[in-house]
Amino acid sequence: MTKVCDEASSQPPSKKRKALDESAETAETETTKTKKAGSCSKQAGSSGVRRTQSRAKLSMLPSLNLDILLEIFSHLFPIDLLHLARTTKALRNLLMRRNTSTVWKYAFTQIQGLPECPSDVSFPAWAHLAFEPVCHNCYTSNVRNISWILRTRLCSRCAKICLEDADIFDAKNNIDKYILKCVPFNDNDCRSDCRRCCLASDRKRFVQELKAHRKDRQKFVEQKMAELAARLDHALLCEDWSKALANERAIALRQIKDNRHNAISEKLLQLGYGKELDFLSDERADDVKHSEYVPFHKHHLVRHPRNLTDKVWDSIKDGLEDYMQKVRAYIERKERKELIWKRRERAALAWNKYRNVECEPESFLPNQIDIWVWDPVRDIIERPSDAEVTKDSFEQVFRGLPSFIESWQRDKITQIVHNATDTMKWISFPGISDLELATCVFTCSNNFFHSLMRCYEDNQSCLMWFPEFVHHQCNTLMQRGYGENDEELQDLDSCELLSVRSETLGFRRRQWSARWLFFDDKASRTVESILTACGMSQSAKVQQLDQEDPRLICLKCSFGAKCDGERCFFVMTWRTAVQHNVKKHFGDRQTNFQRISSLDVEEAKRLETAEQVRRLSVNPNHPQQPVDKSWRCTWCRDCSVEPGALTLVQMQKHQKRRHNRLKESLEESVDYYRAYDRPPPQPYPVKMKPRDPTVNL
């Protein structure tokens, strides 16, 4: 070894060391050389100044005996030989010689399963393709995709430059025909999903060779086709090896991650986080995602592909403990939330029992959410987690429900009045006692809900009179807020107890609110005109006008002409007349009506019945008028299984199937009640010649 060092010191310095001053070179030659850790150490000379130890130089490596070097290099991997050849010119000259190909062969034999190097590819180029993840054009790093048939790695940017699409070649052209047959394309590998391309350099090289073989072109083409077939077979083998290597690597990484996961779990279990680990394990099985914390197996300290050592654990212990504290806090909130919902469910069951026994079904009553926010019930629901809460706990405080229901009804009616007054401040809106007036008309702006309910025809507006607007479904239902970030809204949307499965899919129950209700001034003015035409007082109530049940004609449509027994008019009910003016005449205040005589009313009712039969006979599957569903089940009220509004025949089937009640035992206002939220059905307008009502017959 001393001889080697002497020989190395006698060699001229390399170009990179020319910057050293002469004094440093003189001091280096005068220092003694000792053997330590396989390198030449330098000590201070007679001057007594100690010099730092220099690093070993690879430039001295080629000076070793050639047989020794080749023996050393034969134990390296191909990628190591490639990197070693790039260190110095001497090593490059040594490793890139043809007579050192044996070293490369030995190096490749250490790679299990790798197909042999093709005869037309050098060993360094084969190592560069198989093991070095760089782009072969721009040398961008981390390029993992290999095209074995094209024998190249290309980044996405260089692929647009270096590849040529097969569509640019014309199969009818002689040159292009040979290119498509003899030049390797990446789709020759049937397992490739990319478009059919070839390397522009391969295409140019082939064209040059093809032009050089003009005399024996056919033989040359056959030779290239045979080479392409062999190249394809070799590429398939390389693809299989590459996938197997990737799978082995993935399995090894997965094993390392699992070992680290299990080791960290053991450490955390010793620190007292067993409950949290069980919770996280269950969440992993269900693939639950949270915004508050990442899943345990996806935590960056857990999924890192590195075995856990004591030193590593000491560095990540604090971070994992902070993470587990977050999980513990989340579990406590989750358990508390589940307990709150269980108590709410008990309160809802107790309220349903009380309502069915103590209240009239047709009454204006709160739903379960309104009961939950009542202070006595809310206090019970929000008791500490260790306190026992049963259904009997709520039944005790329900003794104060009559006074609460009375104040709740008064508050909600007042809300309707204030909502309308705030919306149309220029209207002298009646007070609470005047909501039953026929001139008190409300409309709802939630048209999407009404289209689902199918309560109104396409040519009708949502006009409501008392008590319909009080019981209107939009006051207690809302559309589920899919994608909401509010945690409380998400809980309400996902609560099965608040779901609605009847005619309102996609909706859930909410606290009573008159948000969608608006006072309709145009409809109110129209009712005033109708009352004037009927000779009734402007303070007439809806019930009185329904009992009177007049039939009217629109004088605006007849251009002022009145009934005379000769002209034909469309005769309609008073509710249909209001809809008619709002839709056809845009609620014109100048629209007047005329009431037909009582003798013609009987004829109009007969024609209305005949008109309904006629329309159903013409199109029985699609009746234009909504079906009269006027009843709701008392026992299913505000429940998730509530069937919605039903006809009397449907109600009898529901009671028998759901509640095991026979047809003879059903009782109105006990088993079912009238659906005041739905508008009363109106007959179709009929065309007739009403007589002059002012003429006495």
Side-chain angles (χ1 to χ4, degrees), residues 613-633:
V613 174
R614 185 189 70 81
R615 295 198 181 197
L616 290 176
S617 62
V618 172
N619 195 355
N621 296 327
H622 299 281
Q624 299 181 12
Q625 193 174 24
V627 180
D628 182 16
K629 297 181 178 181
S630 304
W631 308 100
R632 292 186 178 273
C633 179

Side-chain angles (χ1 to χ4, degrees), residues 513-527:
S513 173
R515 170 188 175 186
W516 302 100
L517 294 181
F518 297 93
F519 183 76
D520 197 316
D521 177 44
K522 295 180 179 180
S524 179
R525 301 282 186 179
T526 304
V527 175

Side-chain angles (χ1 to χ4, degrees), residues 33 47 97 137 204 232 264 287 429 491 503 507 693:
K33 306 174 183 63
S47 61
R97 297 174 183 172
N137 185 60
K204 292 179 182 178
L232 174 60
I264 292 177
D287 196 20
F429 192 79
D491 293 339
E503 64 266 87
F507 282 72

Side-chain angles (χ1 to χ4, degrees), residues 279-280 283 288-295 299 322-334 337 485-488 490-491:
F279 173 78
L280 292 170
E283 279 199 337
V288 180
K289 298 180 180 179
H290 297 287
S291 59
E292 300 182 14
Y293 62 90
V294 297
H299 195 280
D322 293 340
Y323 168 77
M324 298 306 291
Q325 288 296 334
K326 291 182 181 180
V327 176
R328 177 173 292 178
Y330 175 82
I331 294 175
E332 292 176 354
R333 292 195 302 270
K334 184 175 183 294
K337 187 188 300 182
N485 295 325
D486 192 335
E487 182 178 354
E488 184 176 357
Q490 291 178 354
D491 293 339

